[in-house]
Amino acid sequence: MWSVVKSVLAAFFGVQREERRREDFEKGRPGAFILVGIVMALLLVGVVALVAIQAAR
Amino acid sequence: MRTLLVWMAGSLGLALGVPLAMANGWNMPVGVTDVSREIHSLHMTIFWICVIIGVVVFGVMFYSLFRFRRSKGAKSAHFHENTTVEVIWTAVPLLILVGMAVPATATLKKMYDASDAELDVMIIGQQWRWRYEYLGEDVAFTSNLGTPRDQIRGAEARGEHYLLEVDEPLVLPINRKVRFLMTSDDVIHSWWVPELAVKQDTIPGFVNENWVRINEPGIYRGQCAELCGMDHGFMPVVVHAMEEEDFDAWLAERKEAAEQEAMGVDREWELAELMERGEGVYGSICASCHQAEGQGSPPAFPALAGNQRLIDDLEWHLDTVINGVSGTAMPAFRSTLNPVEIAAVVTWTRNAWGNDTGEAVQPADVAERLAQ
Ligand SMILES: [Cu+2]
């Protein structure tokens, strides 16, 4: 699970190691990446919204 | 090595020459409000950041192109990835962007804070003029293009403020926070005065807010900045910023004049008096479409001179001016012109250019119609 989170974070940032990418494609399940991706996208939106609300005060 | 030096000197010269050229009348103005100064300094900061990035990136690129060229036996490297370098070139732009966003957001917050204003002015865009209403003061007027039509047609030499002059400027006090409530009667316009750092769309059905606190008295010019039809280029903005006591005196004078005008509605007007007033109203309001000699420009703008329906039917003529004609370019003037102005301009068009009806329309009758 932790490795899925790390891979999704790397995708958000836009940089990934070649070995890890190959590993993900060989061993990972697509459903896990999709689920973690959606949850973390929502988290990112939440963090940005919090920063914006702070800034607007 | 020689060539390389020439390249470097050339790009450096370009990087320095561009801002120098801009400082000489090509750059955005510093302006006369605290907000405009802030916007200008933000603009310059970000400009210099871009210049530095440009010089570094293109410097490295040109140096690499030259230093490792094939004629000197350079061989290309074949490797797939370098995570460290990739992380650096992602993180550095991110930090630069966030670094620019922080001061930019702080300025934006100030620009949007129109609270605690000491004066409210309604700005209304119309095809093709601006209308200003000092809310709660009973002072309102339209500001029309002041450039003589002969200059536009090329029959006369262009003046110093060609197409940037009006018959009546928006008068504002310095050192007071003035809130603008901005809307439009017809299509989207944009009220733009560079020196005040205000460029705000005026949209029919919406009221946008903006504000200024001007630091220096003076005359500031601008234009409509949203393509809005035939005379888009002929609806300039002129702001006359005055010392506070001068502004108060001006406002009191305008209030008094408005009262006088209101009293003028009740009395009987002579034909000659109405004609004189009407000619002025026609020139500033109607002539841009119906033309100076009333010949119009059909089919969009019908001729008024020799228009048989107009000559025969006073009722229809008045109704057209007061309520406009829906589905055409003819707007309703019921709230833009006062009863005296409507009576005068109708009288003028019924008697000018050989329309000789001899009829004088009384302001009192117009006022009665407007009240219905
Ligand atoms: Cu316009």
Side-chain angles (χ1 to χ4, degrees):
Chain A
M1 196 62 192
W2 179 237
S3 80
V4 176
V5 172
K6 278 209 285 189
S7 288
V8 170
L9 270 178
F12 276 19
F13 193 72
V15 178
Q16 175 67 299
R17 275 179 211 286
E18 178 61 19
E19 314 99 70
R20 288 194 56 87
R21 188 189 70 79
R22 202 166 292 148
E23 225 170 85
D24 285 344
F25 271 79
E26 277 159 11
K27 295 181 189 154
R29 282 174 301 131
F33 286 102
I34 292 168
L35 189 72
V36 172
I38 289 172
V39 169
M40 284 179 53
L42 290 176
L43 272 175
L44 180 69
V45 170
V47 169
V48 171
L50 269 179
V51 171
I53 289 164
Q54 283 297 319
R57 267 203 272 170
Chain B
M1 204 58 209
R2 257 260 184 79
T3 333
L4 180 66
L5 280 175
V6 171
W7 266 106
M8 295 287 252
S11 48
L12 200 70
L14 195 71
L16 293 175
V18 168
L20 281 178
M22 286 170 82
N24 209 4
W26 289 91
N27 201 353
M28 68 185 289
V30 179
V32 290
T33 69
D34 291 348
V35 167
S36 77
R37 276 167 219 280
E38 248 181 69
I39 292 172
H40 181 266
S41 78
L42 257 180
H43 163 73
M44 290 318 290
T45 308
I46 292 171
F47 174 80
W48 282 114
I49 291 174
C50 295
V51 168
I52 291 164
I53 293 172
V55 168
V56 169
V57 169
F58 286 105
V60 169
M61 194 178 95
F62 284 126
Y63 174 77
S64 311
L65 282 172
F66 185 80
R67 176 79 173 73
F68 304 106
R69 61 192 189 277
R70 206 168 78 146
S71 61
K72 294 286 175 200
K75 287 269 181 297
S76 55
H78 294 280
F79 60 91
H80 185 267
E81 58 173 314
N82 185 332
T83 313
T84 319
V85 171
E86 286 173 30
V87 166
I88 290 172
W89 80 41
T90 310
V92 169
L94 181 78
L95 291 177
I96 294 173
L97 285 176
V98 171
M100 295 194 298
V102 169
T105 308
T107 304
L108 271 180
K109 269 179 70 182
K110 274 183 216 168
M111 289 167 66
Y112 281 112
D113 180 17
S115 59
D116 300 324
E118 291 162 82
L119 174 68
D120 284 340
V121 179
M122 189 102 194
I123 298 180
I124 304 160
Q126 295 171 345
Q127 285 173 319
W128 289 275
R129 59 187 64 85
W130 294 100
R131 181 168 174 79
Y132 302 115
E133 298 180 4
Y134 294 72
L135 298 184
E137 305 285 355
D138 284 333
V139 172
F141 55 88
T142 48
S143 180
N144 301 284
L145 179 69
T147 304
R149 302 215 155 251
D150 277 346
Q151 286 188 19
I152 297 168
R153 262 189 261 118
E156 224 177 76
R158 290 179 177 185
E160 187 191 352
H161 300 297
Y162 180 70
L163 296 188
L164 290 176
E165 55 203 337
V166 295
D167 55 355
E168 263 198 273
L170 172 63
V171 178
L172 294 178
I174 61 165
N175 299 333
R176 280 187 204 162
K177 186 163 183 175
V178 181
R179 181 169 66 146
F180 297 144
L181 296 154
M182 311 164 97
T183 189
S184 167
D185 275 349
D186 34 52
V187 300
I188 302 178
H189 301 268
S190 181
W191 196 86
W192 177 37
V193 181
E195 297 274 356
L196 305 183
V198 175
K199 186 201 253 176
Q200 178 76 63
D201 275 9
T202 66
I203 305 169
F206 288 78
V207 177
N208 284 331
E209 270 189 346
N210 216 308
W211 67 276
V212 291
R213 185 199 293 274
I214 303 171
N215 295 331
E216 292 161 36
I219 291 176
Y220 308 111
R221 295 169 197 275
Q223 282 164 291
C224 178
E226 182 66 60
L227 188 57
C228 60
M230 186 179 75
D231 280 0
H232 164 62
F234 298 158
M235 52 181 292
V237 178
V238 180
V239 174
H240 187 172
M242 291 181 175
E243 301 282 354
E244 288 179 76
E245 53 271 30
D246 296 341
F247 172 79
D248 291 336
W250 174 87
L251 193 65
E253 195 182 292
R254 289 305 303 242
K255 268 177 161 170
E256 170 128 9
E259 268 164 41
Q260 290 284 336
E261 183 89 358
M263 274 167 17
V265 171
D266 296 330
R267 71 179 171 84
E268 185 88 359
W269 285 60
E270 299 286 330
L271 179 63
E273 235 184 327
L274 286 164
M275 287 293 279
E276 192 189 332
R277 185 70 191 273
E279 184 172 9
V281 175
Y282 185 86
S284 57
I285 303 285
C286 317
S288 61
C289 295
H290 292 292
Q291 306 301 315
E293 297 301 317
Q295 73 272 33
S297 90
F301 309 118
L304 303 183
N307 183 323
Q308 206 52 48
R309 179 149 192 209
L310 178 147
I311 293 167
D312 294 342
D313 194 347
L314 172 62
E315 288 293 304
W316 173 81
H317 187 183
L318 272 169
D319 182 64
T320 303
V321 175
I322 291 171
N323 297 317
V325 182
S326 64
T328 74
M330 179 69 187
F333 286 101
R334 72 164 46 242
S335 55
T336 326
L337 298 178
N338 65 39
V340 175
E341 288 168 327
I342 292 175
V345 80
V346 169
T347 303
W348 165 258
T349 44
R350 297 187 72 71
N351 292 284
W353 325 296
N355 280 2
D356 310 314
T357 60
E359 291 168 350
V361 180
Q362 289 304 322
D365 298 338
V366 174
E368 209 170 288
R369 262 173 176 277
L370 287 171
Q372 281 163 12

